[in-house]
Amino acid sequence: MIINGERVDSVSGETYITYNPATGEPVAEVAKATIEDAERAVQAARQSFDYGKWRHFPVNKRARILNKIAAIMRSRFNELVELEVLDSGKSISAAQGQVMQAIEDFEFYASAIVGHRGNINNVPSGFFNYVLKEPVGVCAQIIPWNYPLMMAAWKIAPAIAAGCSVVVKPASLTPLTAIVLTEICHEAGVPAGVVNIVPGPGSLIGDYLVEHPKVDKVAFTGSTPIGKDIMAKASKTLKRVTLELGGKSPNIVFEDADIDAAVAGSLFGIFYNTGQSCEARSRLYLHENIYDDFMEKFVEKTKQLKLGNPMDPSTHVGAIISRNQLEVIDSYVKSAIEEGATVLVGGHEVKVQGFEGGYWYAPTIITNVTPKMKVVQEEIFGPVVVVQKFKEEKEVIEAANDTIYGLGSAIWTKDHARATRVATQIQAGIVMVNCPFSAFPGTPFGGYKQSGFGRELCIETLDLYTEDKSVLAYYGTRPINPFGV
Ligand code: NAD
Ligand code: MN
């Protein structure tokens, strides 16, 4: 772990092993943080924020250091990619895109912070009011295992750009790239104590950070149940909270869509990152007139997806993060069968040659589902898509919105009027129109409903790492004496 700019062991001396999900083999031995370590990290962050110089640096100096972080990441691109693949089991093509985006996040916030400013308000003559954007303070940043480096970048970049100090709690399963990123931050010139990282169990370390009175804000990405727990616990000290939680995103293909584009985009929409994406388009809605045509192509292409050596650039689908997660996915598929659905493709574990010790699951398509089935309502977080047919636009919008979640969504149509009409009615933070991608640096990412609140990846994120301070001054010639005494 890294506390106050130094690579340190746990106070307890405890460590744990992280495994490569593609092989089941150990990758690294990592310090396992205890509460005492989390306390040390909070104190280091507090010290650097309250008495350090980072937040007082001219903004262009902070920006320069963020750009330097990006430059070092770029120069170590292949190493970061390889480490991400080893630690998470994802395919190298997915890891490359995510490491590239992590780099671009730092570049984006290096620029964005320079243009982030307060304002001056109109007040009566003689008065003067200006609003300062001040860093919110010490931020606990808790991240999941599905995009280990990218999530670390989404959290660290805007926070330190704004002048905050952070304590990062990576997912226990995938701490490695976030630790390297923390080292890179220091190499680039971030002062000691501004970025600290404490790998360890979420229930212990995460909890401690969330309840800590010296932590000002919690930024969390993870599952909806843990997000609710965090919000409740953070309320005791009234911390600022942003939550990026689960999803069950609809993917709607209208009869006038470009079917080949929709098939390709829908395939990527669910099977990218082995379906372990919060914005995975896991509910496919097909207009009845194109259902057969679409499904023929979609099934065919799903069967062509290549599982295998994650380091092979031609691999499409990587491993599942853990045995445990694989069993969760499989039990969802079994529940669908019990409830009367049809598993059209996949629906089982796969043995991959040369990777027999890893956790692999076949890309899975489920049909004959009804709206209340578990596989239609709950986030599976694996390579499983459920397919439903629709007739009317109104009907499909209702179906799309019939979930507790509201993160992503995608619509496929050549009719721009329809695209705009439907986009306004979908209850989700993101609507993709004829587009397989859900986010670029600069575009808001976050949820409606129980997918959380707050937006990341965009300029507005900086507002979530700053407080508005209103300075109201009086420069009039006559003293004001409201009491008149
Ligand atoms: P998780 O909620 O189990 O864990 C996320 C993080 O929280 C981990 O670092 C974990 O150690 C920590 N944690 C666990 N219990 C905690 C507690 N009681 N207090 C504080 N921290 C605790 O989720 P996961 O299994 O790692 O990740 C998958 C989930 O993340 C999915 O539900 C997915 O939808 C969601 N996700 C959302 C987004 C988004 O942007 N909306 C992005 C990626 C993942
Ligand atoms: Mn791992």
Side-chain angles (χ1 to χ4, degrees):
M1 65 187 89
I2 297 169
I3 298 174
N4 209 21
E6 281 172 48
R7 207 186 245 242
V8 292
D9 291 331
S10 164
V11 169
S12 68
E14 268 187 90
T15 60
Y16 73 98
I17 305 288
T18 71
Y19 294 90
N20 178 346
T23 61
E25 284 162 12
V27 178
E29 189 180 353
V30 183
K32 183 175 178 183
T34 61
I35 281 177
E36 277 176 280
D37 298 309
E39 179 60 31
R40 284 195 297 164
V42 171
Q43 290 196 9
R46 199 71 254 171
Q47 184 76 18
S48 75
F49 187 78
D50 292 339
Y51 307 107
K53 52 194 173 179
W54 179 249
R55 59 177 294 206
H56 301 297
F57 275 174
V59 72
N60 57 321
K61 184 165 177 182
R62 286 207 305 269
R64 199 155 61 233
I65 291 173
L66 262 79
N67 275 323
K68 181 129 188 238
I69 294 169
I72 298 171
M73 290 171 83
R74 245 177 231 287
S75 72
R76 294 174 66 176
F77 181 79
N78 290 336
E79 178 200 342
L80 287 168
V81 167
E82 189 177 339
L83 199 54
E84 193 78 325
V85 171
L86 283 176
D87 206 14
S88 70
K90 67 178 70 214
S91 67
I92 188 167
S93 60
Q96 283 166 335
Q98 292 159 25
V99 172
M100 190 49 77
Q101 210 219 64
I103 294 169
E104 288 168 355
D105 292 338
F106 279 93
E107 291 168 340
F108 172 74
Y109 283 109
S111 302
I113 195 61
V114 175
H116 189 245
R117 55 173 194 241
N119 59 340
I120 296 171
N121 294 304
N122 292 326
V123 284
S125 165
F127 291 89
F128 178 51
N129 175 241
Y130 59 96
V131 179
L132 293 171
K133 295 279 183 184
E134 295 194 334
V136 81
V138 170
C139 306
Q141 304 187 306
I142 303 173
I143 56 180
W145 46 258
N146 57 340
Y147 301 118
L149 182 68
M150 207 172 79
M151 288 296 117
W154 283 26
K155 295 280 178 285
I156 296 171
I160 67 173
C164 294
S165 293
V166 304
V167 178
V168 179
K169 211 300 281 173
S172 307
L173 295 171
T174 55
L176 302 183
T177 46
I179 295 174
V180 174
L181 173 59
T182 304
E183 285 193 323
I184 291 174
C185 289
H186 291 108
E187 190 189 332
V190 175
V194 174
V195 182
N196 307 276
I197 182 160
V198 284
S203 48
L204 189 72
I205 306 303
D207 244 37
Y208 186 74
L209 295 174
V210 170
E211 300 207 331
H212 202 298
K214 295 260 159 94
V215 171
D216 302 293
K217 171 182 166 112
V218 181
F220 172 78
T221 296
S223 58
T224 294
I226 306 278
K228 290 178 185 177
D229 187 46
I230 284 179
M231 190 165 162
K233 286 178 174 146
S235 74
K236 289 183 209 156
T237 44
L238 223 63
K239 287 183 179 39
R240 281 76 185 117
V241 178
T242 49
L243 301 172
E244 303 274 4
L245 308 175
K248 190 78 185 175
S249 303
N251 185 36
I252 308 169
V253 185
F254 289 98
E255 63 181 316
D256 59 9
D258 174 336
I259 297 299
D260 290 336
V263 168
S266 305
L267 204 68
F268 186 81
I270 181 62
F271 299 126
Y272 169 67
N273 215 47
T274 322
Q276 303 171 126
S277 272
C278 43
E279 84 293 3
R281 275 72 81 197
S282 51
R283 290 182 294 144
L284 183 52
Y285 292 93
L286 304 176
H287 190 272
E288 59 179 8
N289 292 350
I290 49 96
Y291 187 92
D292 292 341
D293 185 20
F294 183 101
M295 282 304 278
E296 193 185 319
K297 292 173 173 162
F298 188 64
V299 165
E300 163 84 34
K301 287 192 187 290
T302 299
K303 287 178 178 164
Q304 281 171 20
L305 291 176
K306 194 173 144 197
L307 281 70
N309 183 357
M311 286 304 288
D312 180 344
S314 71
T315 294
H316 299 112
V317 181
I320 304 295
I321 192 68
S322 63
R323 165 68 40 198
N324 197 31
Q325 182 65 14
L326 189 144
E327 272 155 21
V328 169
I329 295 166
D330 198 51
S331 72
Y332 269 112
V333 173
K334 294 217 163 80
S335 82
I337 297 169
E338 275 159 29
E339 291 183 273
T342 306
V343 176
L344 200 62
V345 181
H348 53 79
E349 194 176 341
V350 180
K351 284 279 164 228
V352 174
Q353 209 195 345
F355 293 84
E356 288 81 1
Y359 324 119
W360 300 87
Y361 203 81
T364 300
I365 304 174
I366 302 179
T367 55
N368 284 322
V369 294
T370 53
K372 295 295 163 213
M373 283 184 186
K374 261 175 72 165
V375 282
V376 178
Q377 290 297 330
E378 296 181 22
E379 179 178 54
I380 299 175
F381 224 61
V384 181
V385 66
V386 296
V387 190
Q388 288 162 276
K389 214 182 263 190
F390 71 92
K391 254 197 208 9
E392 307 291 341
E393 186 180 299
K394 187 166 176 285
E395 163 205 352
V396 77
I397 290 167
E398 266 168 36
N401 290 337
D402 178 25
T403 159
I404 60 164
Y405 296 113
L407 189 57
S409 63
I411 53 189
W412 300 87
T413 175
K414 284 188 203 144
D415 178 345
H416 288 268
R418 190 204 294 279
T420 0
R421 192 166 63 233
V422 175
T424 58
Q425 294 174 81
I426 299 266
Q427 296 159 355
I430 303 150
V431 182
M432 296 155 239
V433 179
N434 298 331
C435 176
F437 301 123
S438 57
F440 295 108
T443 64
F445 191 99
Y448 276 31
K449 302 197 280 188
Q450 293 191 33
S451 289
F453 48 81
R455 294 293 180 270
E456 295 191 289
L457 206 60
C458 55
I459 290 197
E460 291 78 5
T461 311
L462 292 171
D463 292 329
L464 303 175
Y465 285 102
T466 48
E467 297 275 16
D468 283 359
K469 177 180 279 174
S470 170
V471 181
L472 183 56
Y474 176 66
Y475 294 115
T477 44
R478 278 194 311 127
I480 303 176
N481 182 1
F483 274 139
V485 289

